[in-house]
Amino acid sequence: MDFKALFGLTVIPAAILGGSVVACLSRRICDLFFVLLVVLSPMMELLDVNFVSRNWYRGTALGFQVSIPDVLALSLLAASLLRPRHNQRRIYWPPGLGLLVLFFFYACFSVAISTPRLFGLFELFKMMRGFIFVLAVALYLRGGRELRLLVLGLALLICFEGLLALKQRYIVGYYRVPGTVDDANSLSMLLCLTLPILAAAVNSRFALPLRGLCALALGLGCIAEVMTISRAGISDLLLVLTGVTAATMSYRLTARKLVWTCLIAIAATAVATKAWHTVMSRFDDTSLKQEYENRHEMGRGYYLRVAAAILREHWLGIGLNNWSYWVSNRYGPRLGFRFVPYRGTDAEPSDVIPSGSNVDEAQAAPAHCLGALTAGELGLPGLFLFTLVWLRWFQMGASFLLPRTSDPMRRMGVGLFFGFCGIFIQSLTEWVFRQSPIYFLFHVLLGALASLYFIKRRERRQARIQTGPAAVEAWRFPTSLAETSSTQQRTSNIQQRTSSTQQRTSNAQGADGRRWKFEVEWWRLEVFHLRILRAP
């Protein structure tokens, strides 16, 4: 056992215990842990310990990883469970977690029936850590104060990534900047996930300094996205930023808006002019036909053909995180790609590419398409369950689109929806959703979405309780004066029951409780009068 592993086995448990204690004792320490969790999640590969490490494997998980963000997440979760805040439930089931747990159990089944199992166990451990992140954030974020801290953490993170990208481009001399995530495409996906949230924050009723910081981070993030020179990422970001702006902006025309629009247009034109030649040369490198129809090169179509070959032989897939192993050893050579095979799970394979080979690396990389990767590893049932999980996430986020309001508790849900749309669209051509920095930041934001969705549903239930019986009773046209009198009597009974419910609600909430007023309108229907009670 090396020094790093020994350090992890001794220090990390002590850090989890100490962090849990101080988070329970101090609310401000708990808030600090939350901001650090948001900021450090994309940097966890710089702050981690890998047990049973297989760094030579080209998979989506390379060991049983534990990092500083895990310590922060466990400390937050312990503080939320052991010392809940005043008038807050100790625990609840976050919306959307049920399907995710079902998908996890299916992944366990896939690992149990596949070989080798070690690489799949790495990925299962990462999924369990993701559950902890979701629960920690969902139980911590209970109101506007915590939501502001989430936005603050995201703004600080993107400011740092933007400034680092400028340094990497103009001082270090990188052609495509990777930021802190070691790959330009990964940084592009990180920005597509977070920038729509910051755009929604700019258009929300946050304090002006926070909105200004978000605007600064949004500008730096857009510049960093251009410097990644990611074809799919730039197009994707333009799409989701247009969508979130249209969904959150106010359409009332003012002189201030015209000035800001002109300034943004000038800045965007300057950035586009500066980067036009570099970006267009990247787009001219290849075409969709070459990417998907060329059978002799490793374009995007190659991954789809490999996934189809796997499904023809194993409709349940080859096992979680086993794509590189089996494509290098079996399916790649069958399609004419000469990879260097793995020699089990313990021996490091050769990294020398055979002469005359048509591959870029000695071993196969994960499929550059999240759908193809999921289908190849988990089969058709796994792809179906994963699709249901994504549909549930989209349903939760889309529920915030209407009615339009500048309330941050609603508007940030819109930003999260478009952020999830951004990472989903780019996942059609990339696998890095499962890269640890992206994966865990996504689960932090998933916990925030689950909390906002839960709060929205709870407020809706409370509103129904306060308004009492249905405001409008099902009715039909009366056919006689006696029936008209009966209808008026039923309406009077509804008023009495509503008044009684209102009085009970007022007594429960105290003398300062909110009193709901009801307005009575008379509609003249020929010679009859029908009384309808409506809630404003």
Side-chain angles (χ1 to χ4, degrees), residues 57-74:
Y57 183 63
R58 298 199 70 189
T60 56
L62 309 180
F64 298 110
Q65 182 190 45
V66 182
S67 64
I68 291 180
D70 291 288
V71 176
L72 299 173
L74 286 170

Side-chain angles (χ1 to χ4, degrees), residues 15-77:
I16 293 173
L17 178 61
S20 301
V21 171
V22 297
C24 290
L25 294 178
S26 173
R27 182 179 179 183
R28 295 193 179 277
I29 293 295
C30 197
D31 296 338
L32 177 62
F33 282 2
F34 178 63
V35 174
L36 289 176
L37 177 66
V38 176
V39 173
L40 296 180
S41 289
M43 308 175 195
M44 64 166 41
E45 290 186 340
L46 306 175
L47 309 165
D48 70 330
V49 177
N50 263 313
F51 299 99
V52 198
S53 176
R54 298 293 186 268
N55 286 329
W56 40 263
Y57 183 63
R58 298 199 70 189
T60 56
L62 309 180
F64 298 110
Q65 182 190 45
V66 182
S67 64
I68 291 180
D70 291 288
V71 176
L72 299 173
L74 286 170
S75 301
L76 278 177
L77 182 59

Side-chain angles (χ1 to χ4, degrees), residues 76-91:
L76 278 177
L77 182 59
S80 300
L81 293 175
L82 299 177
R83 191 181 180 186
R85 299 185 180 182
H86 182 61
N87 293 331
Q88 295 288 355
R89 294 173 59 177
R90 185 180 301 272
I91 191 171

Side-chain angles (χ1 to χ4, degrees), residues 191-211:
L191 296 172
C192 288
L193 172 63
T194 54
L195 292 187
I197 303 171
L198 296 178
V202 171
N203 291 323
S204 299
R205 288 201 307 260
F206 285 121
L208 185 59
L210 181 57
R211 291 168 60 193

Side-chain angles (χ1 to χ4, degrees), residues 169-222:
R169 174 67 175 175
Y170 294 107
I171 298 178
V172 181
Y174 285 7
Y175 176 64
R176 299 183 64 194
V177 296
T180 61
V181 289
D182 292 334
D183 185 78
N185 289 329
S186 301
L187 177 60
S188 174
M189 185 171 285
L190 173 68
L191 296 172
C192 288
L193 172 63
T194 54
L195 292 187
I197 303 171
L198 296 178
V202 171
N203 291 323
S204 299
R205 288 201 307 260
F206 285 121
L208 185 59
L210 181 57
R211 291 168 60 193
L213 180 63
C214 290
L216 175 62
L218 186 61
L220 289 172
C222 290

Side-chain angles (χ1 to χ4, degrees), residues 253-430:
L253 193 61
T254 63
R256 182 181 179 181
K257 287 182 180 178
L258 289 176
V259 171
W260 278 109
T261 301
C262 291
L263 292 176
I264 292 173
I266 293 172
T269 302
V271 173
T273 302
K274 171 68 174 176
W276 181 262
H277 177 72
T278 303
V279 173
M280 292 310 297
S281 64
R282 171 77 173 153
F283 275 90
D284 293 339
D285 281 345
T286 186
S287 63
L288 288 177
K289 185 176 181 180
Q290 291 175 327
E291 282 281 347
Y292 288 94
E293 296 183 10
N294 191 330
R295 294 180 175 270
H296 303 290
E297 294 183 3
M298 298 176 62
R300 262 58 180 184
Y302 149 79
Y303 300 106
L304 300 180
R305 289 188 290 273
V306 171
I310 293 173
L311 291 175
R312 282 193 295 268
E313 188 172 328
H314 300 283
W315 69 279
L316 288 176
I318 54 178
L320 187 65
N321 200 21
N322 281 345
W323 177 282
S324 180
Y325 187 90
W326 285 112
V327 172
S328 300
N329 288 23
R330 179 182 298 176
Y331 296 100
R334 284 184 183 179
L335 295 177
F337 296 94
R338 298 174 54 196
F339 293 107
V340 178
Y342 289 98
R343 298 173 295 176
T345 60
D346 296 326
E348 182 176 356
S350 172
D351 58 355
V352 178
I353 302 175
S355 61
S357 180
N358 55 349
V359 297
D360 300 327
E361 297 287 343
Q363 285 77 41
H368 284 38
C369 172
L370 187 59
L373 181 62
T374 304
E377 292 184 349
L378 299 178
L380 295 177
L383 180 62
F384 175 74
L385 286 175
F386 198 45
T387 302
L388 289 182
V389 170
W390 274 98
L391 289 176
R392 173 58 168 160
W393 293 339
F394 286 145
Q395 179 269 323
M396 291 165 56
S399 67
F400 291 93
L401 292 174
L402 293 175
R404 287 169 53 90
T405 173
S406 59
D407 181 8
M409 298 295 290
R410 299 293 182 270
R411 186 142 288 180
M412 296 312 299
V414 178
L416 288 165
F417 170 71
F418 281 100
F420 285 16
C421 288
I423 197 172
F424 177 81
I425 294 172
Q426 196 166 357
S427 292
L428 298 177
T429 58
E430 292 293 341

Side-chain angles (χ1 to χ4, degrees), residues 78-284:
S80 300
L81 293 175
L82 299 177
R83 191 181 180 186
R85 299 185 180 182
H86 182 61
N87 293 331
Q88 295 288 355
R89 294 173 59 177
R90 185 180 301 272
I91 191 171
Y92 68 93
W93 185 262
L97 189 60
L99 279 175
L100 200 58
V101 171
L102 179 62
F103 179 72
F104 171 76
F105 284 137
Y106 176 80
C108 293
F109 166 75
S110 174
V111 172
I113 64 173
S114 63
T115 55
R117 295 190 179 95
L118 180 63
F119 303 135
L121 291 175
F122 292 162
E123 192 70 26
L124 288 178
F125 185 73
K126 187 172 76 174
M127 293 175 69
M128 293 175 60
R129 293 164 60 210
F131 292 153
I132 295 175
F133 277 61
V134 173
L135 286 172
V137 176
L139 296 181
Y140 168 81
L141 199 158
R142 301 296 187 94
R145 182 175 181 274
E146 295 82 12
L147 186 62
R148 290 192 295 272
L149 292 175
L150 172 68
V151 174
L152 174 63
L154 288 176
L156 293 175
L157 168 65
I158 300 305
C159 284
F160 177 76
E161 294 286 353
L163 294 174
L164 180 61
L166 289 171
K167 175 186 175 182
Q168 291 173 339
R169 174 67 175 175
Y170 294 107
I171 298 178
V172 181
Y174 285 7
Y175 176 64
R176 299 183 64 194
V177 296
T180 61
V181 289
D182 292 334
D183 185 78
N185 289 329
S186 301
L187 177 60
S188 174
M189 185 171 285
L190 173 68
L191 296 172
C192 288
L193 172 63
T194 54
L195 292 187
I197 303 171
L198 296 178
V202 171
N203 291 323
S204 299
R205 288 201 307 260
F206 285 121
L208 185 59
L210 181 57
R211 291 168 60 193
L213 180 63
C214 290
L216 175 62
L218 186 61
L220 289 172
C222 290
I223 295 173
E225 179 67 56
V226 172
M227 290 190 292
T228 63
I229 321 178
S230 172
R231 293 166 296 184
I234 293 174
S235 304
D236 184 13
L237 185 62
L238 285 175
L239 179 63
V240 294
L241 283 183
T242 301
V244 73
T245 302
T248 59
M249 69 177 291
S250 172
Y251 291 100
R252 186 168 59 91
L253 193 61
T254 63
R256 182 181 179 181
K257 287 182 180 178
L258 289 176
V259 171
W260 278 109
T261 301
C262 291
L263 292 176
I264 292 173
I266 293 172
T269 302
V271 173
T273 302
K274 171 68 174 176
W276 181 262
H277 177 72
T278 303
V279 173
M280 292 310 297
S281 64
R282 171 77 173 153
F283 275 90
D284 293 339

Side-chain angles (χ1 to χ4, degrees), residues 1-21:
M1 181 178 296
D2 59 8
F3 174 77
K4 190 175 182 181
L6 183 62
F7 177 84
L9 286 174
T10 55
V11 174
I12 289 180
I16 293 173
L17 178 61
S20 301
V21 171

